[in-house]
Amino acid sequence: MSEPSFRDRDPRCSRASSLMTADSRDTVAVRDPETFCVSKSSPLPHPVPSLAGSCPASILPGEKTTDKEYDPASPISDIHLSPSPVHPSLPPHSSPVPSSSFLVCVVCGTTPSSTPLYGCELSHIVCSICRSVGGSLLSCPRCGSQDISHHLTIAGELLEAELEKNCLVFCPYKAEGCSTVARGQVMAQHKEQCLFRPVKCPKSMFSMSCTHIGPLCTLQQHGRDRHNLHQGVTELELGVISSKMFDKGRDKTCCDDPNNAKFQPLELTYQDSLFYCYFERVADRGIWFFFIRMFGNQEQASMFKANIMIGHSGLERGDKEVAGLRYSGAVAHYSMTREEIRGRGMVLAVADEVLRSCKVGNVLFRVWFQVEEKSYQG
């Protein structure tokens, strides 16, 4: 005799097996496990015990079972019992999630997914699903009004705007390589900080000789490959660089030049943030302007403080603490123009006569640029 199968040895199958041995007129009704859940129209009269870990006591081995308690065609793990009502618009195994919006149905508590919106004369919203389920007998549970057919035009307009903000959208710089997907209201902030957003060459602030526009994440390499903006700079520590300004000669100085002078920006990095240090001379005023510009938005730039120090050209690179000319203040952000930077006082302004006094040999002065994160004390 062959070994009995697991189904033959399972006492839960005894009832089903006895039914199958009846004459051909007897049939066994098998319930669909996907429909075996508690609906809104038939709430549970008492709390439901957990099905995780073990079977209910009524179907343990050695116990007698009934058709109502056990479905031989449906495993126990497939039976889903929910103690809470199921929203008619959702699948049988899901339940409505409370909405954070103020545009919610007063019956089911969820935000409608489309317009038009209807409700009572006090503008209490009743979604189309609840209206169709409740029919003509449904009233507003908030105020008791029987007339819930008012067209809520303003609420509908607000809903359309809210749905647009919460809709998932791709980053507008997807073609440049960004794979970010976010809700509309979050995407606006991401767009300003996206590493793939297009930016102009750092030299474009002073010169139109380079018209390059490319993703921010490739800008540093462009500045190095095309313009050598990292050369002539000594990185002393995190966020600190030093450089010397060479003059026209021992007996000639650019401080006497009748023309304006704009010098090549210097690269400065602080971890993942990219800055460029600018300086120029305005001939008719006899003044030099020095400033630091971050290739980021205003919010990102506001997290940093700029320090600019200018000293005697005979100073060593590590002597920034004894430099006589200093600026400590805000960092300019990418969208600012030269005029805005000067107008807001985000520059170190030095007269020609002062820089002449710093000259030794053919070196006019030594300059240090530094950026550091602001410390916020609560």
Side-chain angles (χ1 to χ4, degrees), residues 53 63 122 144 209-210 235 348 371:
E63 300 259 349
L122 295 181
S209 60
C210 181
E235 184 176 2
L348 172 62
V371 290

Side-chain angles (χ1 to χ4, degrees), residues 3-285:
E3 183 71 14
S5 65
F6 283 102
R7 184 177 180 87
D8 294 335
R9 287 184 292 175
D10 190 346
R12 295 177 294 177
C13 300
S14 58
R15 175 60 176 167
S17 300
S18 62
L19 289 174
M20 294 298 294
T21 58
D23 58 37
S24 58
R25 292 174 298 177
D26 296 331
T27 59
V28 178
V30 179
R31 291 189 298 272
D32 184 355
E34 293 186 355
T35 60
F36 188 59
C37 62
V38 180
S39 65
K40 186 173 181 180
S41 59
S42 58
L44 289 177
H46 53 274
V48 179
S50 172
L51 294 179
S54 63
C55 299
S58 60
I59 54 175
L60 288 175
E63 300 259 349
K64 186 177 180 180
T65 61
T66 64
D67 290 335
K68 184 176 181 180
E69 295 171 328
Y70 173 64
D71 179 9
S74 173
I76 292 298
S77 60
D78 285 347
I79 299 177
H80 175 78
L81 299 179
S82 173
S84 59
V86 177
H87 193 281
S89 66
L90 299 175
H93 297 317
S94 62
S95 58
V97 178
S99 174
S100 59
S101 171
F102 68 94
L103 297 169
V104 295
C105 172
V106 294
V107 178
C108 63
T110 60
T111 298
S113 59
S114 62
T115 57
L117 296 182
Y118 294 92
C120 66
E121 57 268 24
L122 295 181
S123 298
H124 297 147
I125 301 172
V126 180
C127 69
S128 59
I129 297 176
C130 291
R131 283 165 50 85
S132 62
V133 172
S136 60
L137 299 179
L138 181 64
S139 61
C140 176
R142 187 72 60 82
C143 64
S145 173
Q146 298 292 328
D147 186 3
I148 56 172
S149 59
H150 292 270
H151 185 192
L152 307 179
T153 307
I154 297 179
E157 294 174 355
L158 295 174
L159 178 63
E160 289 178 351
E162 185 170 298
L163 292 176
E164 183 177 352
K165 289 181 180 179
N166 291 328
C167 180
L168 291 177
V169 294
F170 284 99
C171 175
Y173 307 123
K174 179 183 177 182
E176 284 73 22
C178 184
S179 59
T180 301
V181 178
R183 298 190 181 277
Q185 62 186 34
V186 179
M187 185 56 70
Q189 181 180 2
H190 165 79
K191 181 181 176 181
E192 294 182 358
Q193 302 178 1
C194 180
L195 294 176
F196 293 88
R197 67 186 185 275
V199 292
K200 296 180 179 179
C201 173
K203 293 188 66 175
S204 64
M205 173 163 274
F206 282 167
S207 171
M208 295 300 295
S209 60
C210 181
T211 58
H212 170 79
I213 300 177
L216 173 62
C217 56
T218 65
L219 182 70
Q220 183 180 16
Q221 197 63 44
H222 165 80
R224 292 184 172 194
D225 294 343
R226 295 290 302 274
H227 309 299
N228 299 316
L229 300 185
H230 63 301
Q231 295 185 359
V233 174
T234 303
E235 184 176 2
L236 303 179
E237 56 186 87
L238 178 63
V240 182
I241 61 173
S242 178
S243 183
K244 285 183 177 181
M245 172 62 190
F246 288 89
D247 213 345
K248 291 184 175 182
R250 290 180 176 270
D251 302 324
K252 296 178 63 177
T253 175
C254 57
C255 292
D256 296 330
D257 198 318
N259 300 316
N260 294 338
K262 299 177 177 66
F263 302 91
Q264 186 157 281
L266 306 177
E267 177 190 298
L268 171 60
T269 60
Y270 186 96
Q271 296 178 350
D272 294 332
S273 300
L274 180 62
F275 304 80
Y276 284 95
C277 308
Y278 296 82
F279 53 104
E280 63 174 327
R281 175 179 176 267
V282 181
D284 59 350
R285 299 176 61 183

Side-chain angles (χ1 to χ4, degrees), residues 202-208 260-263 265 277-285 287-293 332-348:
K203 293 188 66 175
S204 64
M205 173 163 274
F206 282 167
S207 171
M208 295 300 295
N260 294 338
K262 299 177 177 66
F263 302 91
C277 308
Y278 296 82
F279 53 104
E280 63 174 327
R281 175 179 176 267
V282 181
D284 59 350
R285 299 176 61 183
I287 297 178
W288 294 64
F289 295 100
F290 301 79
F291 61 91
I292 300 178
R293 178 191 186 203
H333 59 85
Y334 172 76
S335 301
M336 298 182 71
T337 64
R338 294 202 325 257
E339 291 72 20
E340 287 180 295
I341 296 171
R342 288 185 200 169
R344 297 186 184 183
M346 303 169 71
V347 297
L348 172 62

